[in-house]
Amino acid sequence: MVAVVLVVAGCSDTTDGDALAGATSSGAAVTTASTPTPWDPCTIPDEAIERAGLSVDTKESGIFGRDQYGFKICGWENQAPTGVYYFSIFVGLEGIDYIDEPSTFDRLQPVRVGTRNAIQYQQVNADSTRNCGVAFTAGPELIRATWITGALVRTPAHDPCVELNSVVTKLDPEFPS
């Protein structure tokens, strides 16, 4: 019985039923490189979220619970007396040129947010009085943050880009460097 086991182990790789010449089985485990994943913004501590003026009870991971197009996503609401505002962070393994896509993003302009050089943008056809986005890189990751005014807010009380940049500045120490 021992001889059978050794013969089977010696011919573990086959093609069309024939043993491959020079193939051996060492019994060593084969490891493969894991696919890198972006930093998860839902790991930002609740205390930091509250300091930024967001409601920790409204945290949502992903869009309807799912990450999109390789981006880790997390969002919170800011329940202001004048209505609901949505703040989201998207993190992906992309460069800053990702937002230089005219079919998706426009009105790009350089800004300084917290300690970071960033690009402020609008999504194509978005109302700039209600929505704003900002993007910057941290190592190999693209971090995008968005501020969206809830549909029931008739007249936004503040410029959405000012609000967005304020929240991102408060959360800046929590982002990867």
Side-chain angles (χ1 to χ4, degrees), residues 58-104:
T58 62
K59 178 165 78 172
E60 180 180 2
S61 179
I63 304 292
F64 299 112
R66 297 185 57 145
D67 293 329
Q68 304 285 318
Y69 306 108
F71 280 84
K72 290 277 190 190
I73 306 166
C74 201
W76 299 265
E77 294 176 12
N78 172 2
Q79 306 250 350
T82 57
V84 178
Y85 299 86
Y86 303 96
F87 173 78
S88 298
I89 302 171
F90 302 73
V91 183
L93 299 173
E94 299 284 348
I96 196 71
D97 58 335
Y98 179 87
I99 64 164
D100 195 18
E101 174 52 53
S103 65
T104 307

Side-chain angles (χ1 to χ4, degrees), residues 13-91:
D13 294 327
T14 61
T15 303
D16 295 325
D18 298 325
L20 294 172
T24 62
S25 175
S26 66
V30 176
T31 57
T32 58
S34 64
T35 304
T37 57
W39 169 72
D40 185 352
C42 283
T43 62
I44 295 174
D46 288 350
E47 299 78 28
I49 294 300
E50 288 175 341
R51 277 194 307 275
L54 303 170
S55 171
V56 296
D57 296 333
T58 62
K59 178 165 78 172
E60 180 180 2
S61 179
I63 304 292
F64 299 112
R66 297 185 57 145
D67 293 329
Q68 304 285 318
Y69 306 108
F71 280 84
K72 290 277 190 190
I73 306 166
C74 201
W76 299 265
E77 294 176 12
N78 172 2
Q79 306 250 350
T82 57
V84 178
Y85 299 86
Y86 303 96
F87 173 78
S88 298
I89 302 171
F90 302 73
V91 183

Side-chain angles (χ1 to χ4, degrees), residues 1 4 6 9 11 18-19 23 25 39-40 43-44 48 61 68 74 77 108 111 113-114 119 145 152 159 162 172 176:
M1 185 161 189
V4 172
L6 291 175
C11 297
D18 298 325
S25 175
W39 169 72
D40 185 352
T43 62
I44 295 174
S61 179
Q68 304 285 318
C74 201
E77 294 176 12
L108 305 160
V111 294
V113 181
I119 297 178
L152 298 178
D159 179 321
V162 171
D172 188 24

